[in-house]
Amino acid sequence: MLFENNVNSKEPTALTIARKVWITSSEPLSEIVDLLPANKGRLSLVTSLIKAYELDRKCQDIIGVTRTKRQDLESFHGKQFLFVLLKKRSYIDVNSPGLKRIQEALQIGEFKDIPKIPALAPGEHIDIVKLGNELGEKYNRKQESDSNDSGLELSDSFDEITPFEDAETQEEDNAELETYGLLHDCYIFPFMSDYVNLVAASSIQAATRLTKEKKDNSTQNIAINWYGGRHHCKKNKAAGFCYINDIVLSINVLRRNFRRIFYLDLDLHHGDGVESAFEFSKNVMTCSIHRYDIGFYPGTGSLSSTQKTKVNIPVMRGLNDSNMLRIVREIVLPLIKNFQPDALVIQAGCDGLSTDEHKEWNMTIKGYGKVLSYLLNAVGTTSVMILGGGGYNHTETAKCWTYLTSIALGEEELSEEWDLIPDHKYLDAYQDCGFRFWTNENSSFTKLMKDENDQEYIEQIKAYILDKCM
């Protein structure tokens, strides 16, 4: 690793290192991940916008995603939890929206798009609302059963999974579902087992890509996986829209080749699932910057819970770009340098955007970009994995992660000049913002929202954490 020398400098010292960037990218995989009730349609917007700006072409390669095995998931999760979570629920699947399209996608062996710009006929756009209606079409169960009997089985890549059960005899034990967190915010949805498998696989295989790269003091290796970043799921319980903890699973993969891992969580919510998984590890340090208040989910992550390798940076309402960067510069970077990790994992949930439905933080897309740029420059040749996470204004999330992709590729100057969004099949989703990329960086809402994190508060957090962990 090659860290910059001046911790107190406002910007990292420029280092003459090259970057190699890999990314997961698959339109069929995006449609499967789009089934998640909390983020319906989001990943298709992300994938298509990255492609529209041809950023996938500028990556070293696309990371192929293939279904993972149960034993990979058991590196963290409990067997009985996985048994219930991955149970085949054909009675739900066969009545699901867009059945044929999903079944066709599930027959793919490796999810890996070839970088290209889709050719659309003049005026041919896909309306994201219309797409949702199309996905709402129902197909007759008998017709699907006759023509696609084998299709349902292709999604089963696990050992000892419950065989096909007829809908008439299928019953769920609500007490069991409650035990494993599968009744309320993480309720059962169509093709849930396939979603869980492929989200986990995407992060596991992104981490595997990093472990296969040879260390080079002149090169920084970066793997990007916007499908991942589900940080709330515990060992034996789904929570907070997170049915699997792909982050923990991927860190376990990284540990095979990297001795020390630093995990940084930028999501609005506390990364409780990842923290609890590595609470007693000396070689994995977790650090979460999150909104913390009475009644705010998940209610954990107080400053006082900070320990040597478990850091919590609780912030109040209205956190803006400059204070987020200050926290990263004055608190997070010194921790990284002191810990000397071999790999850095960044969960880049962007539900802290001022345009997000939560309206708790006052971050902008460029603000998140400055944080990522600062970190990548500061950690030198340390390998980095960048994952997704929260983000509930889906078009703004797609813009944010596309911009962060451009920064990882060193295309920041060009991306800041983006104006009209390129023609692509989801262009109509951006009608409300006039089809422009930069629309909310200086909005009236952003200007009016007060940052309650004053300088005194940040100094108190800084002093407490650095004294406790350095």
Side-chain angles (χ1 to χ4, degrees):
M1 64 210 75
L2 187 64
F3 292 105
E4 55 120 347
N5 294 319
N6 186 2
V7 177
N8 297 314
S9 64
K10 291 188 176 181
E11 297 300 332
T13 305
L15 298 172
T16 56
I17 58 170
R19 284 183 189 159
K20 290 182 179 179
V21 180
W22 290 264
I23 191 170
T24 52
S25 179
S26 166
E27 290 185 3
L29 177 57
S30 295
E31 287 199 30
I32 295 168
V33 178
D34 281 347
L35 295 171
L36 178 67
N39 296 120
K40 284 185 178 178
R42 184 179 70 169
L43 256 299
S44 287
L45 292 176
V46 175
T47 302
S48 63
L49 193 59
I50 288 172
K51 287 185 171 188
Y53 282 105
E54 302 186 51
L55 298 178
D56 56 330
R57 289 184 171 187
K58 297 176 181 180
C59 292
Q60 193 79 11
D61 195 6
I62 305 299
I63 300 168
V65 177
T66 57
R67 291 169 181 79
T68 194
K69 298 183 187 252
R70 182 186 289 270
Q71 65 189 38
D72 296 325
L73 306 185
E74 289 177 357
S75 74
F76 174 57
H77 293 290
K79 291 184 178 181
Q80 186 58 30
F81 170 63
L82 291 173
F83 177 81
V84 176
L85 182 69
L86 301 171
K87 185 183 296 184
K88 300 306 297 181
R89 295 176 171 90
S90 313
Y91 70 103
I92 295 178
D93 297 347
V94 296
N95 288 317
S96 69
L99 178 63
K100 282 185 177 178
R101 179 154 46 187
I102 298 300
Q103 285 185 324
E104 288 174 1
L106 289 172
Q107 294 182 43
I108 296 173
E110 181 183 44
F111 294 90
K112 179 180 180 179
D113 287 348
I114 298 173
K116 64 180 181 179
I117 301 298
L120 294 178
E124 182 186 354
H125 306 122
I126 293 183
D127 188 325
I128 194 68
V129 176
K130 183 180 178 182
L131 175 66
N133 292 334
E134 289 176 354
L135 290 175
E137 292 180 12
K138 306 281 187 178
Y139 291 90
N140 181 273
R141 184 184 307 170
K142 184 178 185 303
Q143 180 183 7
E144 294 302 326
S145 177
D146 291 341
S147 60
N148 290 295
D149 278 347
S150 61
L152 287 171
E153 300 304 318
L154 284 171
S155 63
D156 180 1
S157 64
F158 299 100
D159 300 327
E160 303 175 356
I161 288 193
T162 305
F164 179 89
E165 294 182 75
D166 187 82
E168 303 301 324
T169 61
Q170 177 69 42
E171 292 183 4
E172 294 284 356
D173 182 342
N174 282 351
E176 183 178 59
L177 295 179
E178 178 78 35
T179 297
Y180 296 113
L182 297 172
L183 267 188
H184 305 296
D185 59 329
C186 290
Y187 55 85
I188 294 168
F189 63 92
F191 296 101
M192 183 176 78
S193 62
D194 299 291
Y195 162 86
V196 167
N197 183 323
L198 290 168
V199 166
S202 67
S203 291
I204 287 172
Q205 285 151 32
T208 300
R209 176 71 269 171
L210 283 183
T211 64
K212 289 181 177 179
E213 289 307 307
K214 294 180 180 178
K215 285 194 172 184
D216 183 347
N217 286 335
S218 65
T219 304
Q220 181 182 50
N221 296 318
I222 301 174
I224 301 174
N225 178 37
W226 299 124
Y227 299 106
R230 314 312 302 189
H231 60 171
H232 291 307
C233 188
K234 306 296 196 304
K235 181 179 177 69
N236 289 304
K237 191 167 187 176
F241 310 139
C242 301
Y243 293 74
I244 194 81
N245 202 312
D246 63 283
I247 304 174
V248 172
L249 295 171
S250 63
I251 290 175
N252 284 340
V253 171
L254 291 175
R255 294 177 76 184
R256 297 171 190 169
N257 279 34
F258 300 105
R259 182 170 173 269
R260 296 165 78 84
I261 316 291
F262 191 100
Y263 170 72
L264 175 61
D265 196 310
L266 300 176
D267 199 277
L268 177 68
H269 302 88
H270 178 226
D272 55 337
V274 183
E275 177 185 277
S276 63
F278 299 110
E279 185 170 5
F280 303 108
S281 172
K282 294 180 180 178
N283 291 321
V284 178
M285 186 169 191
T286 62
C287 178
S288 177
I289 306 170
H290 52 269
R291 175 80 168 92
Y292 180 77
D293 202 356
I294 296 173
F296 189 79
Y297 187 86
T300 54
S302 65
L303 180 63
S304 60
S305 66
T306 290
Q307 298 173 8
K308 191 71 175 177
T309 59
K310 182 186 81 172
V311 179
N312 284 309
I313 305 176
V315 297
M316 295 185 280
R317 192 171 184 271
L319 181 70
N320 62 25
D321 294 349
S322 60
N323 276 337
M324 171 66 95
L325 186 58
R326 181 185 176 191
I327 288 170
V328 169
R329 181 192 299 130
E330 298 182 14
I331 303 175
V332 177
L333 187 57
L335 293 173
I336 293 175
K337 289 191 170 188
N338 184 62
F339 190 66
Q340 290 288 304
D342 302 296
L344 171 65
V345 177
I346 301 173
Q347 196 267 25
C350 58
D351 39 5
L353 286 171
S354 64
T355 52
D356 193 83
E357 292 180 2
H358 285 87
K359 295 190 180 348
E360 287 287 343
W361 281 356
N362 204 14
M363 294 288 296
T364 68
I365 292 172
K366 287 185 178 179
Y368 275 111
K370 287 179 180 177
V371 167
L372 181 63
S373 179
Y374 182 88
L375 285 167
L376 294 181
N377 288 331
V379 300
T381 57
T382 303
S383 296
V384 180
M385 183 162 67
I386 304 170
L387 302 172
Y392 302 92
N393 181 327
H394 291 173
T395 53
E396 290 301 302
T397 298
K399 290 179 184 180
C400 187
W401 289 348
T402 298
Y403 181 60
L404 296 187
T405 302
S406 76
I407 285 176
L409 287 164
E411 300 282 328
E412 183 173 357
E413 290 186 9
L414 290 175
S415 58
E416 287 190 355
E417 299 301 319
W418 288 344
D419 186 15
L420 289 176
I421 293 173
D423 193 11
H424 67 291
K425 65 181 182 179
Y426 290 103
L427 182 61
D428 288 346
Y430 302 91
Q431 184 173 358
D432 289 345
C433 59
F435 308 105
R436 294 187 178 277
F437 192 93
W438 300 111
T439 51
N440 292 296
E441 299 304 287
N442 295 300
S443 68
S444 58
F445 180 79
T446 303
K447 291 177 180 177
L448 290 172
M449 193 176 190
K450 180 184 177 182
D451 190 342
E452 297 176 1
N453 302 279
D454 58 29
Q455 301 308 303
E456 181 181 359
Y457 180 65
I458 293 176
E459 282 297 326
Q460 288 175 351
I461 292 176
K462 175 183 173 181
Y464 183 90
I465 290 174
L466 296 186
D467 178 66
K468 188 100 171 176
C469 303
M470 297 282 282

